[in-house]
Amino acid sequence: MKKEGKEFKVTPYEVSGKVNYEKLIREFGVEKLDDKLLERIKKHTKELHLFLRRKVFFSHRDLNWLLDEQEKGNKFFLYTGRASSTGSKVHLGHLIPWIMCKWLQDKFNAEMWFQFPDEEKFLYKPEVTLKDTEKATHEDMLDVIALGFNPKKTNFLIDTKHAGLMYKEACRVAKKITFSTVKASFGFNDSTNIGSIFYTAMQAVPAFLPSVLKGKNIPCLIPLGIDQDPHFRISRDIMPKLGYYKPAILHSVFLPSLSGMGGKMSASKEYSIFTTDTEKQVEEKIKKYAFSGGQPTVQEHRKKGGNPDVDVSYQYLKMFFEPDDKKLQKIHDDYKSGKLLTSELKEILIEKINKFLKEHQKKRELAREQVDKFIFKD
Ligand code: TYM
């Protein structure tokens, strides 16, 4: 439930309302990713991914420190994750932090640690079984591999499989987190099961596990959707007490749901586009659900023009599917002037998404043979 007077809510377990990101920056106590910092990143990477250029990643924690370390020769590793669940397939929004990780892996030749906490949704959702999450985890790994991570530099951690490696470290973290902190951060109450309360300690572990394994402190960068930040807001302060660095974090906004009603694209809603959707499903969903900033009739649209700022199809092109700044500007201007109709804008998006998914689905099938190469062998 939203608190009195609050128009939106962002926690790892609930995102609702129209998210005000400026406000979130203040509430979460994170820093804006400004142009100066983007320039600093560009010095290393030579170019900026569209997720950075267009501020899809909009805030951070300790990124300047991370780059200081990198420049001193203390290279960082990357960490992110995915909690699989029944009936919760990977959608386009999930791919945003993962694509960012893959790009950063290439640019910085960084090692990647990817966590699959297969107990998280089991603990949190009454209807989910561990058998379900095991199956879903396997499927979701295919999406991650399909993005092109380097198998020699990428390690998958599965909580129940790697429990022997992770549990001791999770206990060290858990000992320093109180129930009242977790309650306040995640909206838990006295009826919440104790597994959910403990979970945040498991999510903290991969941020310093490579340091444990290599016996030296290694900086860590975690690209994620900002809903996951609270886990690290709690656990970051603990890591120096255990002798490790605090991880740096890079936060993305949410790819909105097709409905344009605010909130994020969510795995349980029909207005999400999943990585396994067929061309026809994509077409139908966009045509039926993608919220339009156009006018009710063609005549009116030609006269008054559309509003790209609220148009979901335009937002998807801007955030993800049209990397060419000039082409995007033209779509923006034509839509605003009424030259481009909503149906035409939707056609552009449908074609882009289907082209992307066709490639992705091919690689996703090939990934079935590669899963074992990515799972960490301890
Ligand atoms: P999960 O499985 O809910 O989501 C995986 C990642 O996708 C991001 N995300 C989105 N990003 C942009 N737009 C959206 N509409 C959108 N929806 C989801 C999430 O923020 C997340 O980064 N507890 C985690 C799993 C996890 C993890 C981590 C995530 C374990 N370790 C370390 C980030 C970093 C979870 O349930 O993610």
Side-chain angles (χ1 to χ4, degrees):
M1 277 214 313
K2 275 176 255 175
K3 280 194 202 140
E4 204 80 53
K6 277 211 160 184
E7 74 277 25
F8 68 90
K9 187 169 179 181
V10 176
T11 78
Y13 300 104
E14 188 189 344
V15 177
S16 58
K18 188 165 170 21
V19 181
N20 177 335
Y21 289 102
E22 290 292 331
K23 216 167 163 187
L24 206 56
I25 285 179
R26 289 195 298 276
E27 276 182 18
F28 278 19
V30 298
E31 282 178 78
K32 211 171 176 160
L33 188 61
D34 59 15
D35 292 338
K36 199 167 152 216
L37 189 45
L38 286 177
E39 274 310 307
R40 190 169 177 202
I41 296 172
K42 201 174 164 189
K43 277 201 191 122
H44 290 266
T45 57
K46 308 287 180 271
E47 53 171 359
L48 286 178
H49 192 276
L50 92 81
F51 291 163
L52 294 172
R53 245 171 36 229
R54 307 232 176 108
K55 307 266 167 83
V56 173
F57 282 84
F58 73 109
S59 69
H60 72 99
R61 292 182 188 271
D62 286 341
L63 207 53
N64 275 307
W65 163 79
L66 187 93
L67 292 172
D68 288 345
E69 290 300 313
Q70 177 78 16
E71 285 161 17
K72 281 189 254 167
N74 196 11
K75 278 170 69 74
F76 66 86
F77 69 93
L78 291 154
Y79 160 42
T80 201
R82 157 73 175 152
S84 310
S85 167
T86 345
S88 146
K89 294 183 288 185
V90 169
H91 57 60
L92 296 176
H94 293 127
L95 299 184
I96 290 178
W98 308 347
I99 290 173
M100 191 78 269
C101 285
K102 146 75 179 145
W103 186 82
L104 289 165
Q105 175 173 68
D106 288 349
K107 295 292 175 191
F108 288 91
N109 193 23
E111 196 173 86
M112 171 85 222
W113 287 77
F114 204 110
Q115 181 182 28
F116 291 91
D118 54 337
E119 82 285 37
E120 182 183 1
K121 300 279 163 75
F122 161 72
L123 290 168
Y124 189 70
K125 295 184 176 178
E127 71 282 9
V128 174
T129 67
L130 278 174
K131 205 159 178 224
D132 292 335
T133 58
E134 187 185 309
K135 206 164 142 228
T137 295
H138 186 83
E139 282 301 304
D140 294 353
M141 284 175 175
L142 305 179
D143 283 297
V144 176
I145 296 170
L147 296 175
F149 286 98
N150 178 350
K152 292 204 178 76
K153 301 201 83 144
T154 306
N155 299 298
F156 287 178
L157 285 172
I158 307 159
D159 284 12
T160 61
K161 183 177 163 56
H162 294 99
L165 188 66
M166 299 173 72
Y167 186 62
K168 211 195 267 184
E169 305 309 327
C171 286
R172 291 193 166 112
V173 175
K175 193 173 177 179
K176 299 197 184 302
I177 303 177
T178 64
F179 180 30
S180 67
T181 302
V182 173
K183 248 186 186 171
S185 302
F186 301 131
F188 289 169
N189 57 47
D190 286 352
S191 312
T192 305
N193 69 59
I194 58 173
S196 295
I197 298 161
F198 181 81
Y199 170 73
T200 202
M202 286 299 279
Q203 185 152 327
V205 171
F208 62 92
L209 188 66
S211 299
V212 176
L213 295 173
K214 295 197 177 117
K216 62 170 188 179
N217 251 345
I218 313 171
C220 169
L221 172 62
I222 315 177
L224 42 65
I226 190 144
D227 60 317
Q228 293 297 317
D229 183 76
H231 285 298
F232 298 105
R233 195 167 63 221
I234 294 175
S235 58
R236 263 168 42 97
D237 286 342
I238 291 165
M239 295 180 206
K241 294 181 191 157
L242 302 179
Y244 305 108
Y245 295 131
K246 286 183 186 186
I249 306 196
L250 193 51
H251 309 99
S252 89
V253 299
F254 303 113
L255 187 71
S257 122
L258 285 177
S259 71
M261 299 294 281
K264 60 171 183 166
M265 180 174 270
S266 152
S268 49
K269 302 216 175 95
E270 58 189 328
Y271 353 86
S272 298
I273 298 190
F274 301 105
T275 57
T276 49
D277 278 353
T278 62
E279 288 188 1
K280 191 127 196 62
Q281 280 172 318
V282 171
E283 182 180 348
E284 278 169 9
K285 284 184 191 176
I286 304 274
K287 286 191 173 160
K288 194 163 168 192
Y289 299 117
F291 183 79
S292 160
Q295 304 295 343
T297 64
V298 172
Q299 287 86 335
E300 230 179 301
H301 189 85
R302 293 277 186 231
K303 213 160 72 194
K304 296 185 186 155
N307 180 358
D309 295 336
V310 299
D311 190 284
V312 169
S313 302
Y314 178 76
Q315 293 308 315
Y316 279 27
L317 289 171
K318 181 175 165 191
M319 290 175 68
F320 202 137
F321 291 101
E322 182 47 84
D324 186 320
D325 292 343
K326 280 202 191 112
K327 281 190 189 158
L328 186 74
Q329 189 65 45
K330 184 161 174 11
I331 292 170
H332 176 275
D333 296 349
D334 287 352
Y335 193 58
K336 214 167 170 177
S337 73
K339 194 171 159 199
L340 188 71
L341 299 174
T342 296
S343 56
E344 293 165 332
L345 177 60
K346 287 192 174 192
E347 282 302 338
I348 298 174
L349 180 68
I350 291 166
E351 202 188 311
K352 292 263 178 196
I353 294 181
N354 277 334
K355 193 168 164 225
F356 171 83
L357 286 184
K358 198 172 170 189
E359 255 325 282
H360 184 80
Q361 287 167 6
K362 234 192 275 167
K363 292 182 189 151
R364 199 177 177 282
E365 281 314 302
L366 293 172
R368 290 189 190 278
E369 302 300 314
Q370 298 178 51
V371 174
D372 191 51
K373 273 198 274 182
F374 283 86
I375 296 175
F376 181 65
K377 312 284 181 306
D378 53 323

